[in-house]
Amino acid sequence: MPTVQYPSHAVEALLADGTTAAIRAIGPADHAAVLDLHAERMSEDSRRLRFFGTSRRAPQMTADRLCGPQRPEPLALGAWVDGELVGEADCEPAEDRPEAAELALAVADAWQHRGVGTLLIEHLVHAARERGVRRFEAAMLADNLAVRRLFADLGLPVHRRFERGEVRVVVPLEEGAEHYREAVEQRGRTADVASLAALLFPRAVAVVGASRRVGSVGQAVLLKVRGNGFTGDLWAVNPYAQQVAGEPAYQSIATLPGTPDLAVLAVPAEAVPGAAEECGLAGVRALVVLAAGLDADEARQLMHACRRHSMRLVGPNSLGIAQLDPAVRLDAEFGGAAALPGTAGVAVQSGGVGIALLGQLARLGIGVSSFVSLGDKYDVSGNDLLQWWEEDGRTDLALLHLESFGNPRAFSRTARRVTRGMPVLTVDAGRSAAGRRGAASHTAAAATPTVTREALFRQAGITATRSIAELVGTAALLHSQPLPTARGVVAVISNAGGIGILAADACAEAGLDLPVLPASTTAELLELLPEGAGASNPVDTTAAVGPAELACCIDLMTGTRAIDALLVSIVPTALGTGGEHDPLSALLDGPARRRIPVVAVLPDQEAPVRYLTCADGGRLPAYADPAAAARALAHARDRARWLAEPPTAAAVPDTADSAVAQHLAQAFLADHPQGGWLDPKQTVDLLDCYDLPLTTSIWARDEHDVLLAARTLGQLGHEGKSVLKAYWPDQLHKSAAGAVRTGLSGVDEVRAAYREFEAHFGESMAGVVVQPMAAPGLELLAGVVQDQVFGPLVMLGLGGTATDLLDDRTARLAPLTERDLTTMVTGLRSAPLLLGRPGTPQVDLAALLRVLAGLSRMATDLPQLAEADLNPLIARPGGLLCVDARVRLEPRPAFDPTCDDCVARLPPLRSECHEPQRPRRHFHRVLRRSRSRRSLRPRQRRDVHEPTRRRSHPGDGLPHHGDRDHRLPPGRAASGGA
Ligand code: ADP
Ligand code: MG
């Protein structure tokens, strides 16, 4: 197995305050920098902690050890900020125990306590694991508190031993992987959010390309920023004007009186790269690019500028952003109306949808906390916004109109976490094939037809609506009313029988439960209501009902435990509209919020949805169409159901050898840089890492071997039979091509089958797979697919020849929880076949759940896994056996703008990445600290659970360096600050 090598070029990563550091292997060329770090940039005390003494030669010896020509080389990584080496971590496997490596760490004094050490060790852990290192060992002086804290906070188990003023630590790298992964993710989220502060909490903004021309985008944005009371400095940049719309204009970014945190580029596409570079040179930390239609070259240059200068980027093709926090009050978008301040976070991909949404929310009276028009999403994505809102301390409702959320691998974890704390609503855009054609970013959504898309959104806790109107209607309910209980029993009450029936129909169609009310409730209602009223469900009060009686009925119904939500539909009648007899006053005179959600349906109102203001000043949503009210209630019920399910941990297979699997995947991709299908042997090796129950197979190249294999395996097979499968690279459906022969018994049948293969496939056949014949059972299919929106999905369905015919499948976001495992099985239409029924015993469900858990783990372990397909998986009461498995790997990431090769592959111009954050308290600390330093550096594309963000460029080698002889005595190791 080839050694996986850490890239010698830089990987960008974020420090805790959002500053970008470049992490790369230290090589011979870095001798001077390493010497400088240890000799000049560390105080005497830091050196004492680092070297356990004050030897003058220690820095030189370290530089020689890390950068000299000697072998064996240590694994040494450096962190660079703005070209300056700020820290170094290395580990050197012990000669006699290669699984143990002695760790050393040094951080420049000026960079201590900023997460440099932690970041370096995260990367080193990953690189060391890949080299087969199983534990780090290190020694430190007992008073080296910074490094002791670093180890304590790392998230890995640490075993300590005190020895004469020294602490000796052993850090096993394989134990507690889940806990470590969470710790790494959390650090990543903190850094990501900090990096967004320049964009979403700027203190100074420049509008570049602010034009004197009335009606131009630049001028419109400038006027909006000024008109809506931005609290920070605002500067206009225009090389040809002294003044723009009354503001003094500056010739260039470089001539501004200060450095803006954020620059809004309102220049034409061709001028974007130059302006971005100028901003970067001036120290701008975030860009909003309004121009659309950048060509591939301009896109590449823009990405390079952002990457080089650590700027976060919104757009291109953005309508702008708005931050309505009173401390900022920035409205830098060119939509028609001013955004209303409030608590809903809004992110849209399309500017047009943004304008519609902002307008509707403002009319309704739901204000916005922050608004971002993401446009072409080169960098900042929906995932970024979700994690920002989760921590900004203001947002309590998230509204998204996105074709995708950002890094699909991060999507499921981010969404599942954020939706616990606030409702996240989205419009499921691109449901239809025609819609997907329109959504340029979508190529392959075939894996997720609408029905499963809904299920997947639900699994992530996201409320997926089918239109903007439905989104706004549902937001109106969730923003003003309590959630119903998960049971979701709805009662309808109306002053007109026919209207009540329509509302009842709408509720039933929305999947709500409208049972007959309990006899006691019915009796009490009839007591209150006029003659001729009906009190089952819907309740018909008749038009003769007065406000007082109606109010009593509403109180009664909202008070009874039998009902979880109430829909009150009122039409105006000549009997009392407008005056004190108006039945609507029954609603308005009461409190807006009751024990259960209450919605009004006023069929004669003009607006599709609006708020009624109640006596207590609270708001109650009123809909024109009962179907809109019913759908909003159904969404609220679904959210309640989702919240009622306790968050369960990811299902972990009994055993999984993730490190070996990662090795195998990387080794394959080293040989196949473009990716491809694994051959039968590689497939078995990989699936074995997850204990997936593959049948025994023997790979044979000639007749003699085939006969031998068949004789051996036939004995294991059902009725002593064996199976032959012809193999050639990249084959798809073997049986359709006549490459599968089952039920072969005896030498003659096997020989005949083999000779037919030879005759038929000739030279193209690379060999034959021989298997024992499996006992008959229920043929299932299980596998992993990658979805552009949702990331890796685990699928289960009916397999074999029935696969396409019956199209009975379920899919769930990976990682699957324990609960997902069972709902996947019960969610199949053919579940009774698995669960057993009279005459058919249950299949081995425990084994099936283990397979699903293994697939989920494989999907989350391997970002390179493009698809895996176990078909069929033959299920019987006594066990489960897969007789055909296929796995395809792809290099990743599909598009990473920080990677030159990927940028060179533009378009498609889509950047995906990122992932979420940490408790609110922390946010404010990070925000304050980073703002005060004006060091809000962006970004690193963090992958969900692979701590070491690395760009995999096959062939990148480790520089050869290091020298055992010059190495400090064992134990002279860890130091510096964290
Ligand atoms: P492909 O899916 O490429 O056509 P498979 O290896 O899945 O090829 O074989 C096709 C069908 O042959 C399976 O669905 C299964 O019904 C049957 N089959 C294949 N291998 C075995 C086996 N070892 N034991 C029993 N049946 C098998
Ligand atoms: Mg098959």
Side-chain angles (χ1 to χ4, degrees):
M1 189 183 308
T3 317
V4 181
Q5 294 171 324
Y6 203 81
S8 54
H9 65 262
V11 171
E12 291 184 355
L14 289 175
L15 300 180
D17 63 0
T19 304
T20 306
I23 308 285
R24 67 166 170 80
I26 287 176
D30 301 314
H31 191 281
V34 173
L35 182 60
D36 181 61
L37 168 70
H38 289 90
E40 306 297 332
R41 300 157 61 72
M42 287 169 66
S43 67
E44 190 136 317
D45 195 47
S46 295
R47 268 200 302 278
R48 176 184 67 83
L49 295 172
R50 166 70 181 82
F51 297 118
F52 291 36
T54 47
S55 155
R56 286 181 186 285
R57 292 192 51 232
Q60 180 73 41
M61 282 162 65
T62 301
D64 292 348
R65 177 174 66 84
L66 297 181
C67 312
Q70 299 88 348
R71 312 185 68 90
E73 75 271 29
L75 183 53
L77 301 178
W80 276 260
V81 176
D82 286 337
E84 170 194 308
L85 181 66
V86 299
E88 171 271 321
D90 66 88
C91 70
E92 193 164 334
E95 214 150 63
D96 48 337
R97 297 172 301 144
E99 75 285 358
E102 190 74 21
L103 178 74
L105 172 70
V107 176
D109 277 20
W111 286 87
Q112 293 189 359
H113 311 296
R114 292 177 71 173
V116 175
T118 306
L119 190 64
L120 278 167
I121 296 213
E122 277 178 15
H123 283 247
L124 201 64
V125 165
H126 187 71
R129 274 178 177 164
E130 288 188 340
R131 300 182 136 208
V133 174
R134 294 285 171 264
R135 63 176 182 276
F136 282 158
E137 300 183 355
M140 64 195 86
L141 291 176
D143 63 340
N144 194 348
L145 298 180
V147 171
R148 283 173 64 184
R149 191 166 316 123
L150 183 155
F151 277 111
D153 294 345
L154 203 55
L156 283 168
V158 178
H159 308 294
R160 288 182 197 77
R161 197 158 31 92
F162 287 87
E163 260 172 25
R164 283 174 265 111
E166 289 181 14
V167 188
R168 185 99 194 121
V169 296
V170 175
V171 185
L173 303 188
E174 303 298 340
E175 282 172 33
E178 211 36 53
H179 183 65
Y180 175 65
R181 173 188 299 203
E182 277 164 26
V184 171
E185 280 179 18
Q186 199 154 74
R187 287 193 285 270
R189 292 198 293 268
T190 304
D192 277 344
V193 167
S195 78
L196 288 168
L199 177 76
L200 289 169
F201 236 78
R203 292 174 310 164
V205 173
V207 178
V208 180
S211 160
R212 273 179 301 185
R213 191 163 47 81
V214 177
S216 67
V217 167
Q219 188 179 96
V221 171
L222 186 73
L223 289 174
K224 259 197 152 177
V225 176
R226 193 184 55 189
N228 291 319
F230 176 49
T231 58
D233 293 322
L234 173 64
W235 298 304
V237 176
N238 181 335
Y240 311 108
Q242 305 273 307
Q243 270 208 334
V244 176
E247 297 279 339
Y250 297 85
Q251 278 223 308
S252 65
I253 295 276
T255 57
L256 291 177
T259 306
D261 297 310
L262 166 69
V264 180
L265 302 190
V267 296
E270 60 274 18
V272 165
E277 179 64 22
E278 209 192 315
C279 287
L281 288 172
V284 173
R285 304 266 59 102
L287 297 182
V288 174
V289 176
L290 306 180
L294 274 69
D295 65 27
D297 204 40
E298 288 154 0
R300 191 179 306 123
Q301 290 177 44
L302 170 62
M303 289 308 306
H304 274 307
C306 289
R307 177 183 162 210
R308 202 164 31 243
H309 303 296
S310 298
M311 294 184 285
R312 293 307 304 249
L313 169 65
V314 167
N317 195 10
S318 166
L319 181 78
I321 65 164
Q323 169 57 271
L324 303 175
D325 188 309
V328 181
R329 287 215 304 275
L330 172 73
D331 188 351
E333 42 81 36
F334 61 98
L340 183 76
T343 57
V346 180
V348 294
Q349 205 156 332
S350 131
V353 173
I355 293 173
L357 207 49
L358 286 183
Q360 291 199 27
L361 290 175
R363 269 193 297 285
L364 184 63
I366 294 186
V368 168
S369 59
S370 44
F371 164 82
V372 178
S373 157
L374 296 164
D376 290 342
K377 285 201 293 140
Y378 282 15
D379 173 23
V380 175
S381 70
N383 281 344
D384 288 318
L385 271 305
L386 283 180
Q387 69 189 41
W388 174 271
W389 294 328
E390 191 186 20
E391 299 212 345
D392 72 358
R394 290 175 56 76
T395 305
D396 58 12
L397 174 72
L399 305 179
L400 305 164
H401 182 274
L402 305 172
E403 284 144 27
S404 66
F405 291 83
N407 180 3
R409 291 183 62 75
F411 165 79
S412 123
R413 282 166 186 260
T414 311
R416 283 195 245 194
R417 197 190 55 253
V418 176
T419 47
R420 290 260 155 218
M422 71 174 84
V424 177
L425 280 68
T426 188
V427 181
D428 183 8
R431 290 190 299 273
S432 65
R436 281 194 297 277
R437 273 200 307 280
S441 64
H442 273 178
T443 48
T448 51
T450 313
V451 45
T452 48
R453 285 170 65 94
E454 277 170 25
L456 295 170
F457 276 124
R458 206 175 304 134
Q459 193 196 347
I462 289 185
T463 303
T465 62
R466 301 175 74 82
S467 65
I468 295 180
E470 189 178 322
L471 179 89
V472 173
T474 306
L477 174 65
L478 294 176
H479 210 49
S480 62
Q481 295 294 303
L483 282 180
T485 68
R487 187 180 55 169
V489 166
V490 178
V492 169
I493 179 166
S494 172
N495 68 340
I499 293 290
I501 292 168
L502 286 179
D505 283 346
C507 288
E509 276 159 18
L512 293 163
D513 191 14
L514 243 83
V516 174
L517 298 176
S520 58
T521 313
T522 311
E524 284 182 73
L525 284 169
L526 287 177
E527 193 98 329
L528 291 165
L529 290 170
E531 194 78 6
S536 52
N537 191 11
V539 174
D540 174 12
T541 65
T542 76
V545 73
E549 294 137 348
L550 185 56
C552 286
C553 289
I554 292 172
D555 284 348
L556 181 81
M557 293 169 87
T558 54
T560 165
R561 296 272 156 200
I563 298 171
D564 304 316
L566 182 63
L567 187 155
V568 185
S569 183
I570 295 173
V571 282
T573 67
L575 301 181
T577 305
E580 63 185 88
H581 300 297
D582 189 344
L584 196 55
S585 63
L587 271 179
L588 302 188
D589 291 346
R593 277 178 85 91
R594 294 165 161 98
R595 185 184 64 82
I596 60 171
V598 177
V599 299
V601 172
L602 307 178
D604 71 321
Q605 89 178 14
E606 214 171 288
V609 58
R610 68 183 168 112
Y611 274 135
L612 304 174
T613 306
C614 294
D616 61 356
R619 296 183 300 185
L620 195 107
Y623 302 82
D625 179 3
R631 275 199 300 273
L633 281 173
H635 284 306
R637 188 264 329 260
D638 288 346
R639 174 156 173 78
R641 282 192 179 160
W642 190 79
L643 288 174
E645 285 162 18
T648 56
V652 182
D654 299 342
T655 54
D657 204 335
S658 310
V660 173
Q662 190 54 253
H663 270 300
L664 293 169
Q666 294 187 1
F668 175 82
L669 288 170
D671 291 340
H672 306 82
Q674 305 300 319
W677 295 99
L678 303 193
D679 70 25
K681 162 107 178 48
Q682 293 162 331
T683 307
V684 170
D685 287 347
L686 184 67
L687 298 185
D688 263 357
C689 295
Y690 299 95
D691 266 349
L692 297 169
L694 292 187
T695 189
T696 316
S697 297
I698 293 180
W699 174 243
R701 286 183 197 279
D702 56 32
E703 187 175 307
H704 174 261
D705 286 356
V706 167
L707 290 176
L708 207 63
R711 180 149 14 112
T712 320
L713 293 187
Q715 294 170 4
L716 306 173
H718 180 61
E719 296 174 343
K721 293 178 179 169
S722 53
V723 173
L724 297 197
K725 300 179 186 182
Y727 171 79
W728 57 92
D730 293 329
Q731 67 184 172
L732 282 173
H733 291 292
K734 294 180 289 296
S735 42
V740 179
R741 293 293 151 79
T742 59
L744 304 172
S745 50
V747 177
D748 293 343
E749 277 188 40
V750 173
R751 183 185 293 120
Y754 176 74
R755 289 188 179 169
E756 275 174 44
F757 280 170
E758 270 191 328
H760 196 75
F761 302 115
E763 287 296 296
S764 62
M765 183 168 79
V768 171
V769 174
V770 185
Q771 296 176 340
M773 180 77 186
L778 181 65
E779 295 206 351
L780 301 174
L781 103 89
V784 177
V785 291
Q786 294 289 342
D787 182 84
Q788 285 220 345
V789 175
F790 299 101
L793 306 179
V794 178
M795 314 254 296
L796 174 69
L798 223 47
T801 44
T803 307
D804 298 327
L805 199 65
L806 298 177
D807 195 23
D808 183 16
R809 295 176 194 207
T810 52
R812 292 285 185 282
L813 306 170
L816 298 176
T817 63
E818 294 287 347
R819 192 170 176 283
D820 294 334
L821 295 180
T822 41
T823 62
M824 276 193 88
V825 176
T826 53
L828 287 173
R829 271 181 277 127
S830 35
L833 295 180
L834 281 84
L835 300 174
R837 51 189 176 143
T840 325
Q842 190 181 67
V843 304
D844 187 344
L845 280 182
L848 180 57
L849 300 191
R850 277 199 300 278
V851 167
L852 295 175
L855 288 171
S856 163
R857 181 56 180 259
M858 179 163 72
T860 34
D861 276 352
L862 303 177
Q864 310 94 327
L865 184 68
E867 54 187 301
D869 190 23
L870 312 187
N871 184 12
L873 196 59
I874 302 178
R876 289 181 300 112
L880 200 67
L881 200 60
C882 172
V883 297
D884 179 29
R886 287 160 23 95
V887 174
R888 187 166 63 84
L889 299 181
E890 262 178 3
R892 68 166 197 108
F895 174 67
D896 175 356
T898 64
C899 149
D900 291 21
D901 290 353
C902 298
V903 173
R905 285 207 303 269
L906 284 169
L909 301 174
R910 300 282 164 184
S911 79
E912 311 281 66
C913 272
H914 286 271
E915 150 85 350
Q917 93 305 287
R918 189 169 180 134
R920 287 167 193 251
R921 262 169 291 115
H922 192 82
F923 169 80
H924 293 291
R925 209 186 74 216
V926 170
L927 197 63
R928 261 201 310 279
R929 191 177 61 198
S930 43
R931 277 167 64 75
S932 67
R933 278 215 201 102
R934 290 183 83 84
S935 61
L936 304 165
R937 305 269 180 120
R939 153 285 286 353
Q940 134 69 11
R941 348 271 20 217
R942 283 196 180 243
D943 189 71
V944 189
H945 59 93
E946 194 182 323
T948 323
R949 270 71 53 179
R950 36 202 311 278
R951 273 172 280 151
S952 49
H953 290 246
D956 280 327
L958 265 178
H960 291 205
H961 47 238
D963 172 22
R964 271 209 91 69
D965 298 333
H966 286 190
R967 188 163 174 86
L968 295 165
R972 309 292 110 158
S975 159

